[in-house]
Structure formats: C-alpha cells, structure tokens
Amino acid sequence: MNEHTEADPTPYSDVEAVLRDEFVGIHSATTVTRCVEAAHYGALEVTGYAHPSLVERIARKHLHVLALVASDRG
C-alpha cells in the first residue's frame, strides 16, 4: 500500500491559481476555492461536464459579483 501524504492537485488547480492571482487583495484563497468548487458543480448540473475553461469563467463571474456586493456594503 502506497501512503501518499500530499494532497493530489485538483483538476482545477491551475484555475484556482489564476483566479487567486487575479483577485489578490480582493478575495481570500478560501473564497476563490469555494467559487471554483461551486462553479464545478454548477457546470456539471447544467451541462453534465465541467471543462476547466468553463469552470474558470463561471468562478470569475462569481468572484466579480461577490466583489460588487462587498463594495456596495463598504
């Protein structure tokens, strides 16, 4: 049995990295991860498939909306 101590990267690791860099100072890494996960599940529900480029576009829209809401409250 092979014990693996490091977590395997998700298929969306690159997407998360791009969005973390894009939204640095606006959203935490945790928020970015949550949005990517939500986008993944949303894409699966609607299309039956979650290609990384689609997940990235959906997550980016989520992050923009969250930023707008936060700016309206601020």
Side-chain angles (χ1 to χ4, degrees), residues 8-70:
D8 290 332
T10 69
Y12 306 109
S13 296
D14 291 340
V15 170
E16 286 184 39
V18 166
L19 294 174
R20 274 195 311 270
D21 289 346
E22 185 174 332
F23 289 93
V24 70
I26 300 168
H27 295 300
S28 69
T30 302
T31 300
V32 171
T33 298
R34 285 185 195 151
C35 284
V36 170
E37 289 172 353
H40 164 79
Y41 291 113
L44 283 177
E45 281 185 27
V46 173
T47 67
Y49 184 70
H51 191 276
S53 65
L54 177 59
V55 170
E56 182 176 347
R57 288 195 321 262
I58 295 168
R60 181 175 283 112
K61 288 188 183 291
H62 288 180
L63 292 163
H64 279 294
V65 168
L66 288 173
L68 284 171
V69 170

